[in-house]
Amino acid sequence: MDVKDIIKEENLVYSKSKVLTDNIMHYCPGCTHGVVHKIIAEVIEEMGIQDKTIAVSPVGCSVLAYNYLDIDWQEAAHGRAPAIATAISRLHPEKYVFTYQGDGDLASIGTAEIMHACNRGENITVIFINNAIYGMTGGQMAPTTLEGMKTATTPYGRRVDLNGYPLKITELIAQLPGTCYVTRQSGHTPAAVRKLKKAITKAFENTGKNKGTSFIEVVSTCNSGWKMPPVKANEWMVENMFPFYPLGDMKDE
Amino acid sequence: MAELRLMKGNEAIAEAAIRCGCDGYFGYPITPQSEVLETLMARMPWDETGMVVLQAESELAAINMVYGGAGCGKKVMTSSSSPGISLKQEGITYIAGAELPCLVVNVVRGGPGLGTIQPAQSDYFQAVKGGGHGDYKLIVLAPASVQEMYDFVDLGFELAFKYRNPAMILSDGVIGQMMEKVQLGDYKPRLTNEEIIKRYGSWATTGKTADRKRNIITSLDLDAGSQEKFNIKLQNKYKEIQDKEVRFEKIACDDAEYLLVAYGSSSRVCQKAIDIARGKGIKVGLLRPITLFPYPSKAIQELLPQLKGILSVEMSAGQMVEDVRLAVNGKVNVEHFGRMGGVIPTPNEVVEALEEKFIKA
């Protein structure tokens, strides 16, 4: 039985974005990736740019993002998405090019690529999922892991004398003159989702206006890596992540 | 009338890229190939043909830019020298795994490590046997003149697109730096986006339109069974390349009793060595592989009945000699002569090695 057999067309108040595929997502229940994927799909559909969008997926949990959004994708080597997006954007200046990267991909192995793409002001959008952990490989320390936070490679908690400090890379990115819009958002409440959608829309619009690099960090949860049920993970994020990674716009030019 | 110009090998690469309709070059400075990027930046082809030229922040970034451009069906390339090519191996194996066409130029210098900036041929294994992880091959072209540096850019792209496989020009510091006259070709127009969609729309990321499925450029397949199937497909492609694309040159082989096998600048040294040896009454010829993969094994095998010995001459510790021995399969004695670390052998040294290893022995 199809949904149309149950709900009449005129009574339908919400439906899945046509840019989202029917593939069942591999993400864990409660994971932020699904929320962000949905928002990106909605923005692409609402802006009518499905045929003009080329995305670059990272290495990490979202390596398979190309299974879920019905647009052209390139899957990058670990950390190299901004370099790949650079070439796509330069060779296709009329396209909407975005990278989708996690914290290990963007803020550790790919630090050089993201800094230089942003500093050149590549006309791309960067969606940066920061859940302070390596999810795909089984919950190891990320560059953004908070001090004291337990991971598979910091089993007694991150020690700054041993592991260094958590990296606020978005604050660094905001200093670069090539960026036009740098913001930190989340997706854990309906209000946060609405704000995040506005931010992603603005970023894509910036690309359309050839304004340079737009950078959106999404402070996220990793239920399996954090070893918490979804509701607890959201609470933990609000209590621990937000004070260190405060939400809001850092730059909007 | 064809345009003749005196130019460096590295300059010829840049000029050829512009004239063959290349869409993008992404590079990073390293001696002895920096003139490629310098020439392109001075020529400003973006005004002339629309070609994109970008100095990347690293060799890693440059090869990944090539991945991105190639994934769009564009004609894109990079160049570097040995230590930089090592850094590019990650990108090259991803490009091979995603079956993307592109051109990589290696103007080889002596190694290992930072090595030297002098010419060498010690990256043969890296170029021909894979280089990065996984079972893959590059199409490898070995120019022996500045003219071939120029010609092989177009040829490299042609083969790369024909087989959706990365191609490499394996040159060295001699060919990159020396000046010779070059006959320049006519300008080929760059493909328009519409032409790219027509030719490569079945796989390239050109923007998903309503009339087709989304295109995904990736080398990932988590299912072992289908990953094996993909590997078999790759191996079949390499076999087809081996069957169809072998290129080589034979010099003075008709009556030869001894054979020198050498590619690139070593083959230039060997041409002189042949003159000297023949002056001494030694009947020696030269087989110069132009493609290193696919290797001209059959061409060597066909000469075996007339041969008493084969000397592989390389500016390395002996890398290509292994492919000569594989081709010969023990039927004729195969020896290696080479200099290393950036030292170029003299023709007399080659003749002495030939005499010592075969004639006096």
Side-chain angles (χ1 to χ4, degrees), chain A residues 66 72-73 75 87 95 120, chain B residues 57 67 207 212 214-215 217:
Chain A
Y66 53 71
D72 278 0
W73 283 91
E75 199 286 301
K95 293 289 195 294
R120 286 191 301 264
Chain B
E57 64 270 29
Y67 179 104
R212 70 159 168 85
R214 68 187 183 283
N215 285 336
I217 304 295

Side-chain angles (χ1 to χ4, degrees), chain B residues 39 85 94 96 106-107 163 179 181 203 210 218 229 244 267 282 308 310 326 328 331:
Chain B
T39 305
I85 295 291
Y94 276 69
N106 184 0
V107 182
Y163 294 100
M179 295 186 87
K181 73 176 176 191
W203 57 268
T218 183
K229 268 186 198 155
K244 292 182 181 168
S267 72
I282 306 167
K308 293 177 181 170
I310 300 176
L326 274 172
V328 171
K331 288 173 187 144

Side-chain angles (χ1 to χ4, degrees), chain B residues 103-352:
Chain B
L103 181 65
V104 179
V105 181
N106 184 0
V107 182
V108 180
R109 61 189 246 184
L114 201 49
T116 173
I117 58 169
Q118 310 297 331
Q121 295 181 311
S122 42
D123 296 355
Y124 179 92
F125 283 153
Q126 188 194 49
V128 172
K129 307 294 179 187
H133 61 278
D135 277 322
Y136 75 92
K137 284 181 184 297
L138 309 177
I139 298 164
V140 185
L141 301 168
S145 64
V146 178
Q147 182 70 56
E148 284 189 340
M149 282 287 255
Y150 180 90
D151 293 340
F152 289 180
V153 171
D154 196 27
L155 176 63
F157 274 126
E158 186 194 313
L159 293 171
F161 275 90
K162 185 173 174 185
Y163 294 100
R164 270 187 69 185
N165 202 72
M168 176 177 274
I169 293 179
L170 189 70
S171 174
D172 64 61
V174 178
I175 310 285
Q177 290 296 325
M178 73 181 181
M179 295 186 87
E180 290 184 317
K181 73 176 176 191
V182 180
Q183 191 173 317
L184 302 176
D186 293 334
Y187 281 82
K188 276 191 193 175
R190 290 173 52 231
L191 293 184
T192 62
N193 285 344
E194 291 68 34
E195 286 168 327
I196 287 173
I197 288 168
K198 208 173 164 190
R199 289 191 197 189
Y200 315 123
S202 62
W203 57 268
T205 55
T206 53
K208 188 220 165 293
T209 42
D211 58 350
R212 70 159 168 85
K213 285 185 178 172
R214 68 187 183 283
N215 285 336
I216 300 163
I217 304 295
T218 183
S219 59
L220 176 70
D221 190 340
L222 292 168
D223 180 78
S226 60
Q227 184 62 256
E228 187 184 44
K229 268 186 198 155
F230 172 71
N231 268 271
I232 291 167
K233 181 188 160 205
L234 278 186
Q235 294 305 314
N236 289 337
K237 175 168 82 173
Y238 302 146
K239 191 178 176 306
E240 189 187 346
I241 294 169
Q242 180 70 56
D243 290 343
K244 292 182 181 168
E245 305 298 346
V246 173
R247 286 163 172 81
F248 60 90
E249 184 188 17
K250 282 197 287 188
I251 296 171
C253 284
D254 287 351
D255 64 341
E257 295 175 346
Y258 298 95
L259 184 70
L260 303 177
V261 183
Y263 69 93
S265 45
S266 287
S267 72
R268 299 286 289 265
V269 176
C270 286
Q271 285 186 43
K272 182 72 181 164
I274 288 172
D275 293 342
I276 298 168
R278 286 203 171 245
K280 291 181 167 187
I282 306 167
K283 288 182 179 171
V284 60
L286 169 68
L287 189 135
R288 174 172 81 92
I290 292 172
T291 51
L292 298 176
F293 177 78
Y295 197 73
S297 307
K298 269 188 195 161
I300 295 175
Q301 285 159 7
E302 282 163 13
L303 289 169
L304 292 181
Q306 69 189 69
L307 296 178
K308 293 177 181 170
I310 300 176
L311 186 65
S312 177
V313 182
E314 309 166 56
M315 293 176 340
S316 75
Q319 299 191 12
M320 183 186 69
V321 66
E322 293 192 2
D323 282 335
V324 181
R325 287 196 174 117
L326 274 172
V328 171
N329 201 17
K331 288 173 187 144
V332 170
N333 190 16
V334 178
E335 297 287 348
H336 158 76
F337 173 71
R339 298 295 301 267
M340 292 178 281
V343 179
I344 303 163
T346 66
N348 279 320
E349 283 176 339
V350 174
V351 177
E352 280 163 28

Side-chain angles (χ1 to χ4, degrees), chain A residues 21 51 54 64 66-67 69-75 77 80 83-84 87-88 90-91 94-95 113 116 120, chain B residues 23 54 57 60-61 64-65 67-69 71 90 94 193 205-208 212 214-218 220:
Chain A
T21 66
D51 60 340
I54 301 175
L64 295 169
Y66 53 71
N67 282 338
L69 265 68
D70 192 19
I71 51 174
D72 278 0
W73 283 91
Q74 295 199 22
E75 199 286 301
R80 317 296 175 225
I84 289 170
I88 299 172
R90 295 232 175 186
L91 291 158
E94 76 287 1
K95 293 289 195 294
E113 284 78 8
H116 285 277
R120 286 191 301 264
Chain B
D23 295 303
L54 187 61
E57 64 270 29
L60 262 178
N64 281 284
M65 289 171 184
Y67 179 104
E90 176 196 72
Y94 276 69
N193 285 344
T205 55
T206 53
K208 188 220 165 293
R212 70 159 168 85
R214 68 187 183 283
N215 285 336
I216 300 163
I217 304 295
T218 183
L220 176 70

